[in-house]
Amino acid sequence: MALLTVIETLTPAERVTFVLHDLFDVPLAEIAPILGRSVNAAAQLASRARRRVRGADPVLDSDQARRRRIVEAFLAAARSGDFEDLLTVLDPDVVLHVDATVAPTHRPLAVRGATAVARGARAFAERARYARTALIDGRIGILNTPPGRAALVLDITVTGTRITAIDIVADPEHLSSLDIVPLRTEPGHR
């Protein structure tokens, strides 16, 4: 029962890879085509699943750790609604893309500029309390899973010390194609 509980925390791709490879000894070369991924990608999924089953976060290199600090600063500022802190982490020319699933117009939407994106992030404050950092296809981003609402991810591009692009994805088909790995919350963070 404990193993089943832990396996439920894996992404679908990790779960398939872990169960087939680690529990049933199916070669990665046979698993990769099932997932539509390369053998190397399947090996990474298996490795990540093993770490998660053991309770460890994926290992972040120094560049990922830097990006994580910036994304966490953005998330903290969004939660508190601190406009100035949001402007500090957003590039002046940041572009926010919102998919049609969550856009108010039900068509894809683009918002440009730090001021406009910061205003939108402040409006996100209530939902941000259900958000946490995650690896989105191997990049640091945000996973938001509010109760009673559909999940969404913020796929975030960090250049240097600022966020230059945010893609909000809520389309279920698109979400199912992403490899999403929630990261543990660091001490002092929500």
Coordinates of all heavy atoms in Angstrom, one line a residue, residues 54 121 151:
R54 N 12.2 7.5 -3.5 CA 13.0 7.6 -2.2 C 12.8 8.8 -1.5 O 13.4 9.0 -0.4 CB 14.5 7.4 -2.6 CG 14.9 6.0 -3.0 CD 16.4 5.9 -3.2 NE 17.0 6.9 -4.1 CZ 17.4 6.6 -5.3 NH1 17.4 5.4 -5.7 NH2 17.9 7.6 -6.0
A121 N -0.3 39.4 -12.1 CA 0.2 38.5 -11.1 C -0.5 38.9 -9.7 O -0.8 38.0 -8.9 CB 1.7 38.6 -11.0
A151 N -6.0 22.3 -12.9 CA -4.6 22.6 -12.7 C -4.1 23.5 -13.9 O -4.7 23.4 -15.0 CB -3.8 21.3 -12.6

